[in-house]
Amino acid sequence: MAGKISKIVVLTGAGISAESGIPTFRSSDGLWENEPVEAVATPEGFENDPKRVITFYNERRAAAQKCEPNAAHHALAKLEEKFGDNFLLITQNVDDLHQRAGNKRIIPMHGELLKVRCLGSEEHIISCTENQPEKCLECGAIMRPHIVWFGEVPFEMDRIQKALMQCDLFAYIGTSGVVYPAAGFRQIAKLSGARVVCLNLEEVGGGYTDEFIQGKASETVPKWVDFTIFNS
Ligand code: APR
């Protein structure tokens, strides 16, 4: 590895939680094979049939809470412990496995399953570990899952952009790299001078990547983290 690393940004996708028992989106038995995306993951789907969407996320919330972080989540918590403020984890995942593993410097850019928000005020976000209420208990407005749906803008894009431009190592783990804007992060990091590493079960297309590490996240990520800490 050339030179010392000072700032690391890691992007994770559904593949890092797969071995914890949370299905990915685009595999043959993935979530989007069984549910039409437009019905459960778009603002229009929610407008057409809010009960269906709420039920879908209630089920996912219940299922995710039965799962535990795996060795890959724990390894990223170790990386944050080592790099502190020079580490940032961006996740497309809406489960809370990274948080439960101990990561604190984290941006859940696609929202969080364990939160819902009131449409009466976008500022009103509450934690929700069970079935979500359909209406806000305070103002009576409609409540929705705190999830970024297709067609909506992910959270904290300014902070993400800045971190990508300042890092010298960017790793993307367990993501198919087809959903923008996250799919474009490797390009921003690479063009800003970072070394870019991909860790995935299978090779995902797309340039701007210096190194590809193939395998299950629970095996590759702990090794990569140890290597990165050793070389820092
Ligand atoms: N270890 C490493 N990688 C894995 C593993 C594993 N054990 N299992 C699966 N993968 C890889 C798959 O090969 C695939 O490339 O993880 C990737 C998962 O891809 P997707 O299912 O497309 O998930 P993701 O990239 O996170 O999706 C992005 O799409 O639908 C939206 O909002 C949703 O955040 C999601 C976004």
Side-chain angles (χ1 to χ4, degrees), residues 147-204:
I147 300 286
V148 176
W149 288 323
F150 285 93
E152 297 182 320
V153 180
F155 298 123
E156 302 208 56
M157 284 307 297
D158 288 350
R159 216 175 120 211
I160 291 175
Q161 172 94 12
K162 203 168 151 204
L164 290 169
M165 292 174 72
Q166 289 177 348
C167 70
D168 36 36
L169 176 61
F170 172 70
Y172 58 106
I173 303 172
T175 176
S176 55
V178 295
V179 175
Y180 282 84
F185 290 176
R186 58 180 180 252
Q187 180 178 4
I188 300 172
K190 183 73 195 151
L191 295 180
S192 305
R195 174 176 171 76
V196 177
V197 182
C198 170
L199 295 93
N200 205 305
L201 203 53
E202 65 209 1
E203 193 141 13
V204 280

